[in-house]
Amino acid sequence: MKIRPATYSDIPRIMAVCDEARGIMRSDGNMDQWTGGYPSEATIRTDIDRNVGYVIEIEKIIEGYFAFVPGIESTYLSIEGGEWLDDSEPYCTIHRLASSRDSHGIAGACFNWCWSKTRNLRIDTHRDNRIMRHCIEKFGFSYCGVIYLQNGDPRLAFQKIEL
């Protein structure tokens, strides 16, 4: 697998991968995450403009996408039912992790790549996203509590840090 920055020319395939990921969620009973056309092409373009969007290729075919965002995440400033493992050190956040229907190991490749860039990672997901929760826990993230998106939707929040 190869991970590289996403480009505008990748957008059609990224959107197809996101559609496939949405379908995977729906077939697994996660009906409420990534609704209303999220992530939109505008969101992906913004990721690319901010230099935080990445694709995962297998044999030169894009099979995964994610955003790797350094800095403070505004929705992580308040957490309920727990606390961050560390709330003082700089961290990076993984958003919009998506894989195509027939690919395997995309989440692990993303997590390993991100971990090679920082030793303080955060991620959140919908409570019904059992597949992503399994991947997150398998990689050694710890559950920290519930955060709320800007629209008020709750998400389970996780962190992995090397102290």
Side-chain angles (χ1 to χ4, degrees):
M1 288 188 208
K2 177 184 175 184
I3 296 176
R4 64 167 175 80
T7 66
Y8 293 130
S9 64
D10 297 327
I11 291 174
R13 179 61 186 154
I14 291 168
M15 298 310 296
V17 167
C18 290
D19 286 344
E20 288 184 43
R22 190 178 298 103
I24 293 166
M25 285 187 241
R26 299 299 176 267
S27 67
D28 194 52
N30 181 358
M31 308 310 275
D32 298 317
Q33 189 175 10
W34 285 19
T35 59
Y38 180 88
S40 67
E41 183 175 322
T43 300
I44 302 304
R45 284 184 177 279
T46 299
D47 287 348
I48 293 169
D49 291 343
R50 293 177 55 210
N51 297 312
V52 300
Y54 293 87
V55 295
I56 302 173
E57 295 178 327
I58 300 174
E59 297 180 10
K60 298 186 180 183
I61 304 293
I62 294 171
E63 300 290 352
Y65 176 79
F66 65 95
F68 177 68
V69 184
I72 295 170
E73 176 68 40
S74 63
T75 59
Y76 288 5
L77 294 176
S78 177
I79 188 166
E80 292 183 358
E83 62 186 11
W84 296 110
L85 301 177
D86 175 86
D87 205 21
S88 62
E89 295 296 317
Y91 62 89
C92 295
T93 306
I94 301 167
H95 287 298
R96 293 177 281 288
L97 176 53
S99 67
S100 63
R101 180 167 297 285
D102 296 324
S103 62
H104 300 284
I106 297 296
C110 167
F111 295 157
N112 283 318
W113 185 89
C114 293
W115 190 245
S116 76
K117 306 297 180 198
T118 182
R119 294 298 195 194
N120 192 352
L121 286 172
R122 293 183 183 185
I123 191 170
D124 64 82
T125 195
H126 193 280
R127 72 179 182 280
D128 292 340
N129 196 338
R130 293 181 305 196
I131 296 168
M132 184 57 65
R133 288 174 56 191
H134 170 77
C135 293
I136 288 169
E137 292 167 5
K138 181 179 176 183
F139 191 72
F141 282 89
S142 297
Y143 173 73
C144 295
V146 176
I147 59 100
Y148 291 88
L149 303 179
Q150 290 179 348
N151 68 3
D153 288 348
R155 293 293 184 264
L156 304 180
F158 301 83
Q159 184 174 25
K160 182 173 180 173
I161 186 169
E162 182 177 280
L163 297 173

